[in-house]
Amino acid sequence: MSSSANAALLILRLALGATMLLHGIQKLTTTGIGGVQEMLAGLGVPLADVAGAALPFVEIVAGALLIVGLLTRVAAALLAIVSLGAMFTVHFTAGFFAQDGGYEFVLVLALIGIALVLTGGGRWAADALVRRPRTSREPRSERQTAARVA
C-alpha cells in the first residue's frame, strides 16, 4: 500500500476516533449515564438501561483504539453501528442536513467506520505492529516454484 493510502487511513482513523472519543466523554461528563439511559428510553430503544450505560464507554474505548490503530476493524464496526443507530433513532426524521438535526454528520461517521472495516488501519496502525510478519520460509505454491525453475 502506498504512503498516501496509509496517510489517508491514518487521517480517517484519527477523525472518527477523536470524534467518537469526545462524544463519549461528553456523554459521561455532561449528560451522565442516567441521562443517556433516559434519552434512549424516550426514543424507544430496547434495553435502554443497558445501552445507555454501554454507549459512552463503547464510544470512548473504540475511539481510543482507532486513534492508535489497534483492533481497527472491530472498533470501526462498533462505531459504525453506533452511528447508524443514532441515524435511525434520532436524526433520520429531521431530514439530511445536520444544521436541522438531520443525519448528514452521523452518516459520514458511519461511512468512515465502514470504510475502515473494509480496509483496516493501514501500515501506520498498531495492528500492523502485532500482525505476524511474512517470512521467506513460507512454502511456495507449485505455480510459483515452477515459474522460478523455468
Side-chain angles (χ1 to χ4, degrees), residues 38-48 89:
E38 287 177 28
M39 176 194 68
L40 294 178
L43 294 167
V45 172
L47 300 170
T89 60

Side-chain angles (χ1 to χ4, degrees), residues 36 46 48 98 106:
V36 176
V106 292

Side-chain angles (χ1 to χ4, degrees), residues 1-10 121-124:
M1 185 179 302
S2 71
S3 291
S4 60
N6 284 304
L9 292 173
L10 174 63
R123 176 175 281 200
W124 302 339

Side-chain angles (χ1 to χ4, degrees), residues 20-40:
M20 297 305 278
L21 173 73
L22 292 172
H23 274 269
I25 291 170
Q26 179 189 37
K27 282 179 181 68
L28 284 181
T29 59
T30 303
T31 310
I33 291 176
V36 176
Q37 291 169 323
E38 287 177 28
M39 176 194 68
L40 294 178

Side-chain angles (χ1 to χ4, degrees), residues 51-76:
L55 182 59
F57 297 104
V58 168
E59 290 177 339
I60 291 168
V61 172
L65 287 170
L66 271 190
I67 289 169
V68 298
L70 187 61
L71 299 172
T72 299
R73 291 177 196 262
V74 173

Side-chain angles (χ1 to χ4, degrees), residues 134-149:
R134 296 183 71 162
T135 66
S136 60
R137 287 181 261 151
E138 290 182 9
R140 295 182 181 270
S141 71
E142 289 180 32
R143 178 180 279 166
Q144 288 174 322
T145 304
R148 211 167 164 208
V149 171

Side-chain angles (χ1 to χ4, degrees), residues 20 23 26-27 39-40 43 45 55 59 81-110:
M20 297 305 278
H23 274 269
Q26 179 189 37
K27 282 179 181 68
M39 176 194 68
L40 294 178
L43 294 167
V45 172
L55 182 59
E59 290 177 339
I81 290 167
V82 165
S83 297
L84 290 171
M87 184 170 106
F88 289 113
T89 60
V90 178
H91 300 282
F92 201 74
T93 57
F96 180 74
F97 295 104
Q99 70 185 23
D100 300 326
Y103 60 89
E104 175 183 18
F105 182 61
V106 292
L107 175 62
V108 170
L109 295 177

